[in-house]
Amino acid sequence: MTAALARIRRDVQGLHAYAVQDSTGLVKLDAMENPHGLPAALQAELGARLGAVALNRYPGDRVADLRAALTAYAAPPAGWSLMLGNGSDELISLVTLACAIPPSETANGQLPAVLAPEPGFVMYAFSAKLLGLRFVGVPLRPDDFQLDADAMCAAIAKEKPAIVHLAWPNNPTAGLWDEAAMRRVIAAVAEHGGIAVIDEAYQPFAGRSWIDSIRAEPQAHEHVLLLRTLSKFGLAGVRIGYLMGPAALVAEIDKLRPPYNISTLNAECALFALEHADVFAAQAAEVIAERTRLLAALRALPGVTAWDSDANMVLLRLAPDDAGALRAFQALRSAGVLVKNVSTMHASLTGCLRLTVGTADENTQLIAALSACLHKTP
Ligand SMILES: *Cc1c(COP(=O)(O)O)cnc(C)c1O
């Protein structure tokens, strides 16, 4: 190894780069993207808007305009503020970084902990480990993937985590967790002096938001941050996430934000999308209707378990083992449909694939391909 390479952290050298699957020529149902693009007339209008942006200037007013537009759109409660991230991935990193207190300065002399239910979104553990915190995963109930409130509260009491991540709906299990269980866990985080981050990436498809509980009981949520993104809404390529929370808490995290983290082009795209929020809401409604049809069709296939979804994805078990899931994944890809094989992500996901809800045509193609493969495999 060269001396230069030896300067790179050992744990970084041991990592595998985040693998984006090659989707050339395939129906792309692997990454929870909105399958609908913008209508041609709106696309042309957006093009003209982007063409007029002053690219020679650092981002300024338009980013402030976007912050104001998102605040009007999401309507956080009084005393809360909102900050922008280059996708919510950046915001997860910044919250984690802000809590990376060295062990010499913590009450128990240990690294601060980040705790999240598992299986869950990989970026929580990734950010924690990379930024010098301990990650603690707490299994979801294996039958229905609901929050195990007893196990969560016990782990929170033991580990006293700095951060508890709650994705509502959760990825890759797709469902909302029971509200009473959420309330218990959020209260336990408060009791042990931590921050609860509620990640609502799938809010456009969920029909419910935790923001209503926050408005109803502000005192119970003084330690809560609410994370959203425009990625699943329909702008995955644009990279805009936003974090809402009590102003004093958000102000600390905002100090770590790179000053120009939102490009002027991204801000202009997001502003344009919010001006046409009705178009995106209609697309989400179509996805929700297709989700119902897809779930019914999947449940009619032999040997398939599909869990309820409040997101634009469906988790299904096709086989009792990972080899069966891999065979189905490969058969789908050969038939031109790319999904995500999550079977080896966590012990409770054995034999499982995760599908993104696509357009009606895409879902029909998916169901036909899956049906053919399940009727063929012994
Ligand atoms: C997709 C997803 C995100 C989105 O990340 P971006 O960086 O905003 O694209 C955040 N949280 C969860 C749970 C997700 O599944």
Side-chain angles (χ1 to χ4, degrees):
M1 194 193 310
T2 68
L5 260 182
R7 287 288 181 178
I8 305 291
R9 284 165 45 171
R10 282 286 170 80
D11 57 342
V12 172
Q13 293 190 40
L15 288 175
H16 295 286
Y18 187 90
V20 176
Q21 306 189 87
D22 182 14
S23 61
T24 315
L26 300 174
V27 171
K28 196 169 182 312
L29 300 179
D30 65 327
M32 282 77 78
E33 291 146 331
N34 177 343
H36 304 285
L38 275 179
L42 286 184
Q43 201 145 32
E45 204 183 309
L46 174 60
R49 283 264 291 264
L50 293 180
V53 165
L55 298 178
N56 55 319
R57 302 291 177 199
Y58 279 108
D61 288 357
R62 289 308 267 164
V63 175
D65 290 347
L66 176 58
R67 231 167 63 88
L70 280 170
T71 302
Y73 177 78
W80 275 40
S81 66
L82 180 152
M83 68 178 278
L84 299 175
N86 185 16
S88 39
D89 286 355
E90 183 182 45
L91 293 164
I92 293 166
S93 290
L94 295 181
V95 172
T96 310
L97 183 60
C99 294
I101 298 174
S104 60
E105 293 174 25
T106 59
N108 59 6
Q110 287 192 338
L111 294 175
V114 171
L115 188 144
E118 280 189 326
F121 189 44
V122 292
M123 293 309 294
Y124 307 146
F126 182 80
S127 282
K129 289 174 194 161
L130 213 59
L131 298 171
L133 294 87
R134 286 182 298 134
F135 181 77
V136 179
V138 177
L140 293 170
R141 293 196 325 218
D143 48 345
D144 59 3
F145 295 119
Q146 278 289 321
L147 208 50
D148 185 339
D150 288 339
M152 287 291 290
C153 290
I156 290 164
K158 175 167 177 270
E159 306 285 351
K160 300 182 176 43
I163 301 169
V164 174
H165 290 287
L166 297 165
W168 203 72
N170 187 46
N171 173 9
T173 57
L176 288 167
W177 293 316
D178 174 71
E179 294 197 16
M182 284 281 286
R183 245 177 271 286
R184 272 186 65 197
V185 171
I186 291 167
V189 179
E191 189 188 333
H192 295 284
I195 297 170
V197 181
I198 301 179
D199 183 343
E200 294 193 333
Y202 298 96
Q203 182 272 332
F205 315 99
R208 273 186 286 166
S209 166
W210 201 261
I211 205 162
D212 295 319
S213 300
I214 295 167
R215 290 202 193 97
E217 297 175 89
Q219 274 88 22
H221 294 94
E222 286 171 352
H223 64 305
V224 168
L225 296 170
L226 190 59
L227 184 62
R228 299 255 189 99
T229 176
L230 295 182
S231 293
K232 310 316 168 4
F233 171 91
L235 300 182
V238 174
R239 312 304 300 134
I240 299 282
Y242 55 107
L243 182 74
M244 297 179 281
L249 196 50
V250 172
E252 294 302 325
I253 296 155
D254 196 49
K255 292 175 187 171
L256 297 171
R257 186 177 52 81
Y260 301 117
N261 66 329
I262 305 299
S263 108
T264 316
L265 291 170
N266 292 2
E268 200 62 45
C269 275
L271 280 162
F272 185 83
L274 290 174
E275 287 163 28
H276 300 282
D278 55 328
V279 174
F280 291 87
Q283 293 177 346
E286 206 172 316
V287 167
I288 290 168
E290 274 299 305
R291 178 177 74 199
T292 304
R293 184 177 77 94
L294 181 61
L295 266 172
L298 292 170
R299 284 171 176 162
L301 292 173
V304 170
T305 304
W307 282 269
D308 287 340
S309 170
D310 298 284
N312 61 342
M313 67 182 125
V314 172
L315 178 71
L316 72 168
R317 177 167 287 130
L318 297 162
D321 55 15
D322 295 343
L326 182 61
R327 263 199 312 276
F329 170 81
Q330 288 169 338
L332 285 174
R333 200 176 47 191
S334 301
V337 181
L338 184 67
V339 301
K340 178 90 171 176
N341 180 2
V342 294
S343 58
T344 57
M345 214 180 117
H346 190 259
S348 63
L349 295 176
T350 296
C352 290
L353 300 182
R354 186 193 69 196
L355 319 174
T356 303
V357 181
T359 63
D361 283 352
E362 290 172 341
N363 299 331
T364 298
Q365 197 175 329
L366 166 71
I367 294 160
L370 198 55
S371 174
C373 128
L374 291 176
H375 286 98
K376 200 160 34 184
T377 9

